[in-house]
Amino acid sequence: MISLNTFFKNKNLLESSLFKIIDDICNGSKIVNEVLLNGNPENFKSENVKNIQNEDVQKLDLIANNVFLEYFKNNLDIHGILSEENEKIIEGNSFGKYLIAMDPLDGSSNISVNIPVGSIFSIFQKKNMSVDLCEDDFLIKGKDQECAAYVLYGTSTILIIAFNNEVHGFTLNLKENDFFLTFPDLKIPKEGNIFSINEGNINSIDTEIFNYVEHCKELSSDGKRTHTGRFIGSLVADFHRNMMKGGIFIYPKTSDKPNGQLRLIYECNPIALIAEFSGSKSSDGNTSILEKKPKSIHERTAFITGSTKMVDKLLSFYKNE
Ligand code: AHG
Ligand code: MN
Ligand code: MN
């Protein structure tokens, strides 16, 4: 079994700044995993406060945020941090070359009902080291990310990392307290039959997406279903399943959320990089996610990603209009 350390050692990257950040993510995720497994009911409750996005904050959102922030603030290579749970960016070491944006706990509405959650990270270099850290530093296009990662706390805890045009998956072995390579060189199947969308929004979304969902529900000539619908409500879990089995994830603009629900910088961009490096693509319906230039740090976007042929099929509905 190849441990995460050995994997990076074999690539001559064990001493790299990037590996030190990945190591922080690993160590943080082990703590979050422990908190989840400990099952203390107190930790699975709401904080009864709203975050900057006007969403309910759960205790575990804050626990995960504090755990990862603590590691990142102590990493001399990290210059600044953007988190879903903090309105403002957080300063790190002013000599550090790297910036990190994170969703420390994704899928928090699932916490209290024992359904998989995740953590998402976007890692990139600060472009202009001669100016002080500011929000502009984080407003980069997704294609300028150096690395993206997520942890999925599911039936097992796995870490997916995308860098150098490759995607690799590691599983946490609790006995060894270490991550081991279990999914080398991941590729999303080009075609799939899973569609993932919150159908509660179906009557307030773009007609193109409505029509695509209707297409997914069409029966074959012998009366059988052609697709299957799956929506967990944790982006990490929904994306991961589709990456492994072949499928499409769609979170469109809705009348409630005219800019979409998911955050561009620390949810969509890292997932889009993982999709890209595993042979797939992402879009907001018009523009590739990795080409979008954010205007603000907590900006939201419509998000479509998954098996290339399914994404292309959906996008063809836009061209037909
Ligand atoms: P978070 O818990 O970080 O706020 O993210 C929740 C996101 C995402 O994980 C999921 O796909 C989506 O919100 C679900 O939204 P709906 O409840 O509107 O379906
Ligand atoms: Mn999230
Ligand atoms: Mn979150």
Side-chain angles (χ1 to χ4, degrees), residues 85-140:
E85 300 305 333
N86 296 89
E87 183 178 357
K88 301 223 159 77
I89 56 172
I90 295 155
E91 291 205 23
N93 174 19
S94 55
F95 296 104
K97 279 200 305 202
Y98 280 89
L99 300 175
I100 188 152
M102 68 167 164
D103 176 354
L105 210 286
D106 173 62
S108 43
S109 68
N110 285 328
I111 292 169
S112 57
V113 286
N114 211 12
I115 288 174
V117 290
S119 304
I120 314 175
F121 305 92
S122 166
I123 302 164
F124 44 96
Q125 297 202 16
K126 180 168 161 45
K127 279 202 174 132
N128 191 347
M129 285 295 283
S130 57
V131 296
D132 287 350
L133 184 75
C134 61
E135 291 192 355
D136 265 4
D137 289 325
F138 288 87
L139 306 182
I140 61 146

Side-chain angles (χ1 to χ4, degrees), residues 84 103 106-107 263 267:
E84 180 192 13
D103 176 354
D106 173 62
R263 280 52 63 108
E267 290 184 311

